[in-house]
Amino acid sequence: MQVTINVNGEDHTADVEPRHLLVRFLRDDLGLTGTHWGCDTSNCGTCVVLLDGEPVKSCTMLAVMAAGHQVRTVEGLETADGLDPVQQGFIEQHGLQCGFCTPGMMLTARALLDRDPDPSEQQIREAISGQLCRCTGYLNIVRAVQWAAHHPAAAAAATAPSAGSTP
Amino acid sequence: MQVPASFEYRRAQSVPDALALLERFGEDARVIAGGHSLLPMMKLRLARPEFLVDINDLHELDYLRQEGAELCIGALTRHRGLLESELVGRLFPIFHDAERVIADPPVRNRGTIGGSLCQADPAEDLSAVCTAVRAVAVVLGAGGRRSVPMADFYRGPYETDVGAGEMLGEIRVPILPDSGSAYQKVERKTGDWAIAACGAALSLADGRIASAGIGLAAVGVSAAGYRRAEQALVGREPSEEVFAEAGRLAAEDCEPVTDTRGTAAYKRHLAGELTERALRLAVERALRPAAAA
């Protein structure tokens, strides 16, 4: 059936089977391979994208169910002004090693900061509790989100000499 | 890669539209809301519906409101909505206890109370909660609506009283004066299914327990429910001895099986211990309503 899904601000229309999963639509049909695909059982959370601004696991959602909704993937984090502060935070605080969980982690962090610009460490840990990271022990991911919270205008400052400073 | 078998998909535009679709497709149709129970089962071919009726656009089923002495919960209310509701936390802290340990935030953004109850997984938390608080399920069908107490709603693992052509519309929970409730769960890791869990809800009158409800998850189906434990509470003054007696009876009446999450003996032990803890906390909250929320 024909569906139109808005992904990163752009409408995409495609003919898909109802059983087509959103993660496959994003990766295979649109070529947006930043959304990773891991356990396929809604446990690992690497496939998290934002649906109308809130994190959802795209391996456990049909593409047809996303029709008419706004999907944001990691490719949609960067703006014309530069990297999202969350992306910059992951660089500054070494929030990744292998990078497999990173897209979902960053999108979850973005959704959290959109709701609460200054979350506590506990709130950050709860927000990312649906996603597994096997490299960092989560500490640097928490620090990365905190860095982003403390540098809400990081995108504009990303090219400034002080961009590398930590809070 | 896991992909469900082929099916036809319809997005319902209204409750009557959903009911008409369900009526037309009969036994071969399933309602899908959050999809976090149904889609994994479809991927594994444990469920194989021919038709999916998507009710995510039926915002008229997404509400939390007090009507007189009842809390009314629309079937499409997301886990997150329950967890973030001040009204729910104030009236029934048991829902907040449970929601904090159901899956994880992205899953709670999608999953619904209606889906949880209709999936009727024996380890599912909200079924135990709704049993404890004596919730009544409102089932919608072509012939109108009918009310089903939780004891009759749950027919066994993955089976409910919702028939072909019907759907769950609402959950109604009676609000009792001087009441308290709590949910206690032991799990292997954050967001996992329970090894065992217990929900307890009770009301007090003149220093004694006036009513009590107990629901357990993941420890098998007790044919008679936990009436013996409940009856051991009613009319008594709350005390450690009374909680222990109720816990002992609940542990006797549950029917756990050994699996990868633990032995039957361990689960039976947990059932008793968690019943005691849930009762203790529920009484604390009944005595100090301000601290309940």
Side-chain angles (χ1 to χ4, degrees), chain A residues 40 54-55 57 59 64 115, chain B residues 2 4 11 43 80 104 109:
Chain A
D40 223 349
E54 297 300 340
K57 295 182 176 177
C59 78
V64 288
R115 288 180 135 242
Chain B
Q2 299 178 7
R11 200 186 276 205
K43 287 179 176 184
R80 179 187 189 154
D104 56 53
N109 280 341

Side-chain angles (χ1 to χ4, degrees), chain A residues 129-130, chain B residues 100-105 108 187-193:
Chain A
S129 64
Chain B
R100 280 189 199 98
V101 291
I102 291 176
D104 56 53
R108 294 199 293 261
E187 53 199 345
R188 294 179 304 181
K189 66 177 184 65
T190 300
D192 196 12
W193 297 99

Side-chain angles (χ1 to χ4, degrees), chain B:
Chain B
M1 180 174 61
Q2 299 178 7
V3 178
S6 295
F7 55 85
E8 281 191 46
Y9 170 89
R10 298 281 194 283
R11 200 186 276 205
Q13 305 300 317
S14 65
V15 171
D17 183 34
L19 290 173
L21 290 166
L22 290 169
E23 173 99 358
R24 191 160 104 217
F25 300 135
E27 296 281 355
D28 297 327
R30 285 292 297 271
V31 169
I32 189 164
H36 278 65
S37 299
L38 185 54
L39 285 177
M41 291 190 77
M42 288 170 64
K43 287 179 176 184
L44 296 170
R45 306 299 190 270
L46 295 172
R48 205 161 171 176
E50 301 279 325
F51 301 91
L52 279 191
V53 178
D54 182 348
I55 61 164
N56 280 289
D57 287 350
L58 306 188
H59 303 293
E60 63 266 41
L61 293 180
D62 184 0
Y63 57 85
L64 290 160
R65 59 176 174 249
Q66 186 175 346
E67 286 180 15
E70 284 183 308
L71 172 67
C72 302
I73 305 172
L76 194 64
T77 304
R78 313 272 171 193
H79 293 297
R80 179 187 189 154
L82 282 163
L83 184 54
E84 293 184 347
S85 164
E86 182 274 334
L87 176 72
V88 171
R90 179 161 45 82
L91 294 174
F92 294 102
I94 185 173
F95 276 101
H96 279 192
D97 291 346
E99 286 294 356
R100 280 189 199 98
V101 291
I102 291 176
D104 56 53
V107 173
R108 294 199 293 261
N109 280 341
R110 296 294 298 166
T112 64
I113 184 170
S116 294
L117 297 183
C118 289
Q119 179 71 11
D121 189 296
E124 197 277 312
D125 297 290
L126 290 185
S127 298
V129 169
C130 286
T131 299
V133 298
R134 299 282 192 262
V136 172
V138 178
V139 178
L140 310 177
R145 47 197 282 152
R146 59 193 182 91
S147 296
V148 185
M150 277 311 292
D152 301 323
F153 181 84
Y154 183 78
R155 289 281 191 82
Y158 308 106
E159 280 183 46
T160 72
D161 193 49
V162 180
E166 291 185 317
M167 62 186 282
L168 180 59
E170 184 182 62
I171 296 92
R172 300 178 77 92
V173 189
I175 302 166
L176 302 175
D178 299 315
S179 59
S181 60
Y183 194 70
Q184 296 283 305
K185 173 176 173 178
V186 170
E187 53 199 345
R188 294 179 304 181
K189 66 177 184 65
T190 300
D192 196 12
W193 297 99
I195 301 171
C198 177
L202 45 77
S203 65
L204 302 176
D206 302 324
R208 291 176 185 275
I209 296 170
S211 66
I214 290 174
L216 280 85
V219 288
V221 184
S222 169
Y226 296 96
R227 269 183 229 123
R228 288 204 305 150
E230 291 163 355
Q231 283 163 3
L233 294 159
V234 174
R236 307 282 296 276
E237 284 181 30
S239 69
E240 285 299 315
E241 290 70 31
V242 171
F243 302 155
E245 173 67 1
R248 187 182 66 75
L249 291 169
E252 274 182 22
D253 289 348
C254 71
E255 295 176 10
V257 293
T258 296
D259 63 14
T260 52
R261 287 189 170 77
T263 63
Y266 173 54
K267 293 180 185 183
R268 195 179 293 281
H269 165 76
L270 280 180
E273 177 62 31
L274 295 179
T275 299
E276 279 189 57
R277 290 184 196 174
L279 287 167
R280 192 178 296 129
L281 185 53
V283 167
E284 267 179 43
R285 286 170 168 170
L287 293 171
R288 289 184 289 114

Side-chain angles (χ1 to χ4, degrees), chain A residues 73-89:
Chain A
T73 70
V74 68
E75 290 89 347
L77 274 179
E78 187 180 3
T79 67
D81 294 332
L83 294 179
D84 188 282
V86 168
Q87 293 174 303
Q88 195 65 37

Side-chain angles (χ1 to χ4, degrees), chain A residues 15-123:
Chain A
D15 203 25
V16 300
E17 274 192 274
R19 62 174 173 165
H20 201 44
L21 298 167
L22 180 58
V23 66
R24 309 311 312 182
F25 176 79
L26 296 170
R27 288 178 57 86
D28 301 348
D29 300 348
L30 302 188
L32 296 174
T33 52
T35 300
H36 291 167
W37 163 67
C39 71
D40 223 349
T41 58
S42 80
N43 281 287
C44 79
T46 194
C47 67
V48 161
V49 299
L50 302 187
L51 184 82
D52 300 330
E54 297 300 340
V56 300
K57 295 182 176 177
S58 61
C59 78
T60 309
M61 184 160 183
L62 303 170
V64 288
M65 294 172 79
H69 292 273
Q70 313 270 332
V71 174
R72 195 175 182 194
T73 70
V74 68
E75 290 89 347
L77 274 179
E78 187 180 3
T79 67
D81 294 332
L83 294 179
D84 188 282
V86 168
Q87 293 174 303
Q88 195 65 37
F90 271 72
I91 296 170
E92 301 293 338
Q93 296 298 319
H94 197 65
L96 66 148
Q97 184 176 314
C98 83
F100 193 63
C101 72
T102 312
M105 288 287 185
M106 293 199 301
L107 287 162
T108 298
R110 172 48 43 219
L112 173 67
L113 295 177
D114 284 346
R115 288 180 135 242
D116 180 355
D118 189 23
S120 66
E121 179 181 341
Q122 182 62 29
Q123 286 170 317

